[in-house]
Amino acid sequence: MATSPSPSQSPTTFITHLHIKKPSSLYANQWSISTLECQKVQKALETHGFFLVKYHDDQEQEQDECSLLHETFSSLNQLFNLPRETKLKNSSLPPYYTYFRTTVYETLAVVNSFSSSGQLLSFTQLMWPHGNQKFYETMRRMSGKLIELSKIILCMLCKSYGVIGRTELDHSAADHEATMDPLFRMMKYSAPLSNNNNDGDGDGDGDNDEDEEPILRLTPHTDQNFVTVLCQNEVDGLMCKSRDGEWMKVNPSPGSFIVLAGDALRVWSNGRIHAPLHKVMMKGKKDRLSFGMFVGPKGDKVVEVFDEFVDEEEGRPAIFKPFIFLDYLNFSLENVCRAETMLDSFECINSA
Ligand SMILES: O=C(O)CCC(=O)C(=O)O
Ligand SMILES: [Fe+2]
């Protein structure tokens, strides 16, 4: 594995870009992944709260990887092109999981899409009553890859903190599966400029995009979960705010994944990990498609500071009070206007 910094907006800050090869075993105690690489995950999440990663499976040919990515985006196009009434059927889930639409943004979600419990199959049947095997197979493979990567990343973090096997964040822990509720979400953001908008050179490309001001498509917020692994089509737009307050453009190379820490990880680490505010700003004539695995605790689970990060005698008390994750999700839904300071507004922070 190698790390190469890729320049962000500012010359002084770099976005960490890791290359992770699928380990022969997903269990960290049998790993070839070095501690040094694990420390890079920790450092990136503590400073910026996000990083980019290329994830390869040695068994998988590069060509297969590209075609999976290509098929995923063509499946997403197919999905978002369905009539609105059909997409509205994705509403039997709790409100934060269901089909949601504004004039410029749409999202659909499937819980545990990679598992054998048939959630992805039911979702596919709901959208295409006559079946769509291609969609099902593609999304099953892609969401399987995302869940695998999210497990590896959480494990790398646990390894770096020296807490492997002692926390449910590590998937080798007995109750990991019973604790986690991974959600596969698919998003579409419409282009700020319509396709009829001619840029004057007759090619209809909109190649004077450079002069345009980017327009907000998704308002600044933090994710409530532990970790999010995202992937986008060729249209950039994601921006993340680092711990030192700088908005950074996140422009991944094709096929790279974006890893973001959420509020639950900030709480678990007693504030060591930064859960970055992020937003989507777009320009140009192309719609942006993205999808991701949002790995959070099950609704009834308690989110709390992990013991390892607390030492009263050393002057490191727990900054956060424990809370039920569902209470926080509901609070977030009722207080969308406080998205920029959600965790702080939730009043789970202990007074000094
Ligand atoms: O589409 C993206 O890149 C970001 C999506 C996002 O932040 C979210 O759905 O919470
Ligand atoms: Fe988000």
Side-chain angles (χ1 to χ4, degrees):
M1 269 185 288
T3 311
S4 53
S6 60
S8 77
Q9 258 175 318
S10 145
T12 54
T13 40
F14 292 96
I15 295 177
T16 301
H17 201 156
L18 298 179
H19 291 254
I20 299 181
K21 233 193 307 167
K22 182 178 172 171
S24 51
S25 157
L26 280 188
Y27 292 97
N29 52 5
Q30 300 164 19
W31 258 2
S32 47
I33 299 179
S34 73
T35 306
L36 192 69
E37 289 300 309
C38 299
Q39 284 165 347
K40 287 175 187 165
V41 168
Q42 180 192 331
K43 183 154 182 259
L45 294 182
E46 289 186 355
T47 53
H48 293 132
F50 68 95
F51 61 89
L52 295 171
V53 62
K54 276 253 183 204
Y55 180 55
H56 298 288
D57 181 344
D58 255 0
Q59 309 300 316
E60 199 181 30
Q61 301 298 322
E62 205 173 310
Q63 215 179 343
D64 292 343
E65 265 182 56
C66 290
S67 72
L68 177 59
L69 201 64
H70 179 79
E71 281 159 18
T72 304
F73 286 115
S74 73
S75 292
L76 285 187
N77 266 318
Q78 235 191 336
L79 177 69
F80 285 113
N81 283 336
L82 287 171
R84 183 161 178 249
E85 311 79 74
T86 309
K87 291 181 279 190
L88 273 170
K89 291 195 216 157
N90 179 222
S91 54
S92 56
L93 296 164
Y96 34 83
Y97 290 167
T98 52
Y99 178 57
F100 175 77
R101 178 193 169 114
T102 67
T103 49
V104 295
Y105 166 75
E106 286 183 83
T107 178
L108 288 128
V110 191
V111 190
N112 270 329
S113 52
F114 57 93
S115 77
S116 54
S117 63
Q119 309 262 23
L120 182 61
L121 194 58
S122 339
F123 175 84
T124 310
Q125 278 161 352
L126 201 62
M127 296 295 116
W128 290 276
H130 299 295
N132 186 340
Q133 193 64 15
K134 180 88 181 161
F135 176 90
Y136 172 73
E137 290 298 340
T138 304
M139 293 311 185
R140 193 168 152 80
R141 275 180 66 205
M142 184 48 96
S143 56
K145 190 165 178 161
L146 293 186
I147 196 73
E148 205 171 81
L149 180 58
S150 63
K151 282 180 176 179
I152 292 173
I153 285 159
L154 286 176
C155 243
M156 287 174 83
L157 185 67
C158 292
K159 188 165 174 180
S160 183
Y161 282 134
V163 299
I164 282 286
R166 288 195 276 144
T167 158
E168 289 152 356
L169 278 196
D170 161 14
H171 69 274
S172 57
D175 16 11
H176 175 85
E177 301 296 340
T179 310
M180 297 295 182
D181 217 359
L183 183 75
F184 182 59
R185 284 225 337 250
M186 298 155 276
M187 285 74 75
K188 178 179 177 180
Y189 306 83
S190 57
L193 293 181
S194 83
N195 281 321
N196 320 332
N197 228 338
N198 207 313
D199 60 9
D201 63 3
D203 67 0
D205 267 357
D207 46 13
N208 56 358
D209 286 2
E210 290 306 309
D211 307 333
E212 274 173 64
E213 278 304 310
I215 293 178
L216 190 71
R217 281 294 183 255
L218 186 66
T219 54
H221 64 281
T222 53
D223 289 350
Q224 298 101 339
N225 48 348
F226 286 122
V227 74
T228 303
V229 182
L230 288 168
C231 186
Q232 65 168 47
N233 65 354
E234 72 284 5
V235 183
D236 291 325
L238 184 67
M239 296 186 77
C240 292
K241 200 172 187 181
S242 68
R243 193 187 279 276
D244 60 16
E246 185 188 359
W247 277 109
M248 300 167 88
K249 283 184 188 165
V250 188
N251 298 345
S253 55
S256 284
F257 297 99
I258 305 152
V259 178
L260 284 173
D263 295 328
L265 203 57
R266 176 177 163 209
V267 172
W268 176 85
S269 66
N270 206 15
R272 284 183 68 161
I273 289 183
H274 174 62
L277 270 177
H278 52 284
K279 61 183 176 182
V280 174
M281 305 281 295
M282 281 169 64
K283 51 187 188 175
K285 294 180 180 175
K286 286 191 181 154
D287 293 339
R288 180 168 184 271
L289 291 172
S290 66
F291 60 89
M293 191 60 76
F294 294 73
V295 181
K298 286 196 164 42
D300 60 346
K301 295 294 166 200
V302 174
V303 177
E304 59 190 334
V305 176
F306 183 51
D307 291 350
E308 194 78 15
F309 300 109
V310 180
D311 192 335
E312 298 276 352
E313 284 165 22
E314 291 289 320
R316 279 186 283 125
I319 303 176
F320 303 96
K321 298 178 195 144
F323 57 86
I324 308 278
F325 190 55
L326 189 59
D327 291 345
Y328 184 47
L329 287 179
N330 286 330
F331 177 85
S332 306
L333 269 182
E334 286 156 17
N335 294 275
V336 178
C337 58
R338 301 193 199 181
E340 295 202 29
T341 54
M342 198 63 83
L343 194 62
D344 305 69
S345 310
F346 186 53
E347 294 183 357
C348 63
I349 301 186
N350 279 319
S351 45

